[in-house]
Amino acid sequence: MIILKIGGSSLTIKDSKKSEVNTTGLLRIAREIKSSLDNSCKDLIIVHGAGSFGHPPAKRYKIGEKFDTCEYPQKRIGFCETQNSVKKLNMHVCDEFIKEGLPVVAIPASSFMTATNKRITDGKLEMFNKYLNKGFIPIIYGDVVLDNDLEICVISGDQLVQYLALNLNPNKVILATDVDGVYNKNPKTHDDAMFFEKFTSLKDLDTLEGTTNVDVTGGMIGKIKELLYLADLGIESKIINAEVEDNIFKALEDMEVKGTVISRGN
């Protein structure tokens, strides 16, 4: 089994003032996944981020922050707007994947998961195995869920990856982002950014200066923290650049591709 997480920044125009799909990138990614599945039989779970669809309403309504009871009506609307927005992105993703012959079936986190203080604490995954056994590709995405402490919160695609991997024990975890992997600073704005081929410890985070713009889900540092937890359990993962042609295909096929490996330290 492989868990592939596709970052929202690769699927959407993330800095856009309105929700826009990166249709060219989405189509290429769909074709690369289809080519890999045609080449070799494998079970695949796809997780995708929310990008310009989910982050603006979640930020505007401050989803996941404590609030007074009198604010609940407005927070409920914010929850619904955010959920509806990320669902629209998922429909775009599923439409393109199905057109390419990928049998994807959406399983929204908000329909079966709950959290406590922004961490998933309940979410039975039997349906994932049932769909996999029938040859489907389950697809889940960054979403909003009910929270036992905060009433409502955002659950990132990166946290979903950790939860799925922890409970389903995949052979491989791949995070496809908009950069080649982990750098000590944002490589898009700093020519002297240093690339890390491997990350093995939380101590390594001290060397980072903010590798990407931090969004409501924590940016690159948030991804690394989720994956280091898996590394401590012996589950290795790799962060690659989804915007480089054939990178996703190569990663799915165990071919050499530039990226940062997140693994247990020696």
Side-chain angles (χ1 to χ4, degrees), residues 72-109:
Y72 214 155
Q74 183 186 39
K75 292 289 184 177
R76 277 194 289 264
I77 292 298
F79 181 99
C80 296
E81 281 190 18
T82 305
Q83 185 208 42
N84 199 42
S85 190
V86 295
K87 185 165 57 178
K88 287 177 182 177
L89 173 59
N90 179 253
M91 289 181 66
H92 285 294
V93 173
C94 288
D95 280 346
E96 290 300 326
F97 283 10
I98 292 169
K99 287 177 186 176
E100 291 301 314
L102 293 167
V104 293
V105 56
I107 307 178

Side-chain angles (χ1 to χ4, degrees), residues 164-222:
L164 291 169
L166 182 63
N167 288 279
L168 298 176
N169 194 29
N171 302 99
K172 187 188 305 183
V173 175
I174 303 165
L175 261 74
T177 67
D178 60 346
V179 290
D180 290 332
V182 181
Y183 290 80
N184 68 325
K185 57 183 75 172
N186 193 337
K188 295 182 178 181
T189 55
H190 295 83
D191 293 334
D192 61 341
M194 181 177 70
F195 176 72
F196 291 86
E197 291 187 357
K198 181 176 282 190
F199 238 74
T200 61
S201 170
L202 283 171
K203 294 179 181 178
D204 295 336
L205 292 177
D206 295 337
T207 64
L208 306 185
E209 299 178 16
T211 54
T212 62
N213 293 328
V214 176
D215 54 36
V216 295
T217 60
M220 181 63 80
I221 290 177

Side-chain angles (χ1 to χ4, degrees), residues 1 53 139 159 168 208 210:
M1 182 197 299
F53 281 71
I139 183 166
Q159 188 182 160
L168 298 176
L208 306 185

Side-chain angles (χ1 to χ4, degrees), residues 122-133:
D122 185 49
K124 295 178 174 60
L125 302 178
E126 289 90 345
M127 289 304 298
F128 282 80
N129 285 321
K130 288 182 179 180
Y131 278 120
L132 288 169
N133 289 337

Side-chain angles (χ1 to χ4, degrees), residues 28 32 241-248 250:
R28 179 182 52 75
E32 289 185 28
N241 193 337
E243 299 183 8
V244 174
E245 189 171 355
D246 285 333
N247 263 7
I248 288 180
K250 290 176 181 177

